[in-house]
Amino acid sequence: MADRNTFRLMLIILGVIFAFLYIPISVLVGLSFNEGGLPTAWTGFSFKWYGALLENEDILKAAGNTLIVAIFSTLLSTLLGSLLAIGVEIRRRNGKWLETLIFAPMIIPDIVLAIALLSFFSLIGVKMGLHTIIVSHVVFNLAFVCAVVRARLKNFDWSIVEASADLGASTFTTLKRVIIPVLMPAIVAGALLAFTLSVDEFIIAFFTAGAGRASITLPMQIFAMIRFGVTPEINALATLVMAVSVIALALSQRLNKGGLPGQ
């Protein structure tokens, strides 16, 4: 009886937690289909605010910038993060110190990292724009990609690498035909995670974008619009950004669930 009551209590607590997390998101999504212009008064179901997004040049420009930043930062952080994960796993002797240095951007508050990157770009005299946002996002995403790939490397059978070397394969051939194919699900999962983080990221982009609207991203555009009040158009834009993030994260989780071949 006591166990049943405990189970019910845990279900109630879990329900409260999920309600706290997802009711605001559900309200946001629901109001994005509100026909009226008021964000809190429901007047009817409509897709017109999603259509209005396609007619807003500022939003389309910001969406283009976001895709540019997300794609390039994802490609670079995936390449560097995957190679870094392999290198750290091979050089296990200094692994703890290397892990501390690599995963520091995950622990450091975004505002601190943003100020540090802003100071660095200012110090070396780089004019800020989309290129500095891309570099900043690579620094931020690198640790996440490395963590995902390293998680798969924990169960990697290094004897197949030795077998490849015994058969006369070069280091590059072993990396290309043995290591990378086994790690590919984790690499793709890390890339999707990096893409999601880059699309959603605001603070670092805000500090490293520079002056003007030429390098504004979607989160920055939402921030600029919301200063004048919440509208169904903002709700629609936020819903689309959230949908992209959820789909990418779901794919990342699904790809990263798979074990090594033969397991």
Side-chain angles (χ1 to χ4, degrees), residues 82-92 149-166 171 174-175 178-180 182-183 260 263:
S82 300
L83 293 176
L84 186 59
I86 295 171
V88 170
E89 191 64 24
I90 292 174
R91 194 174 178 83
R92 296 180 183 178
V149 176
R150 280 210 69 196
R152 194 169 181 88
L153 278 169
K154 291 296 182 181
N155 298 320
F156 186 78
D157 185 4
W158 290 99
S159 64
I160 61 176
V161 175
E162 297 173 1
S164 175
D166 291 340
T171 302
T174 301
L175 179 66
V178 177
I179 298 177
I180 291 181
V182 174
L183 297 180
L260 294 174
Q263 289 187 340

Side-chain angles (χ1 to χ4, degrees), residues 53 59 218 221-222 225 232-241:
L53 295 178
I59 290 176
L218 268 180
Q221 178 65 29
I222 293 174
M225 293 169 65
E233 188 177 17
I234 295 176
N235 291 336
L237 179 58
T239 299
L240 290 177
V241 173

